[in-house]
Amino acid sequence: MQKRVFAALFGAALCASPALADEAWVLPGGNEVTWDDDVNGVSVLSYPVGRSRERVRLYVPGLSAAIDDRGTFHGYWIGPSGDSDCAATLTGPDGTRSAAFGQAIITFDQPSFPSGWSVLIGQCFDPPSDEMRADAIYGN
């Protein structure tokens, strides 16, 4: 049940607004992931889900400092609360707070922009096991 709800969270994303940074990615269903901010060395990537358009946020420590030396990063995600909530609440560096969260391992295809990436995502404190793909959208 949790895996289906979790998969729906990541599969039901709607189209997003343009990125604040000059990098953005597209998910297989055509939904856009944007690079929204950098807070204390943690890059915040996000995309909307469901009818509410609430955002799932991927927090990637060290990404902004590795513009030409990207590889694998260990981070985490925080999403809208729902049926698959964890037994704890997590707050991100941007103040986003939710009981829906987990670990993320993001691996870039190339060491610099433009580069797609794959992410393994876990639910709550479980090891990352669900994969999601994002391909680069070229900047203007």
Side-chain angles (χ1 to χ4, degrees), residues 52-135:
S52 69
R53 296 183 59 90
E54 291 182 87
R55 300 185 78 79
V56 171
R57 289 170 171 75
L58 290 171
Y59 296 93
V60 189
L63 177 59
S64 63
I67 295 302
D68 292 320
D69 190 25
R70 294 182 180 168
T72 298
F73 298 85
H74 293 262
Y76 55 98
W77 65 272
I78 298 176
S81 290
D83 294 338
S84 62
D85 285 354
C86 305
T89 300
L90 185 65
T91 303
D94 61 352
T96 298
R97 181 179 172 95
S98 178
F101 63 86
Q103 298 177 57
I105 302 171
I106 299 119
T107 302
F108 282 83
D109 300 336
Q110 304 292 325
S112 62
F113 178 78
S115 177
W117 45 265
S118 296
V119 61
L120 286 175
I121 298 172
Q123 180 83 20
C124 302
F125 298 105
D126 294 342
S129 61
D130 295 325
E131 187 169 3
M132 185 173 72
R133 175 78 194 154
D135 293 309

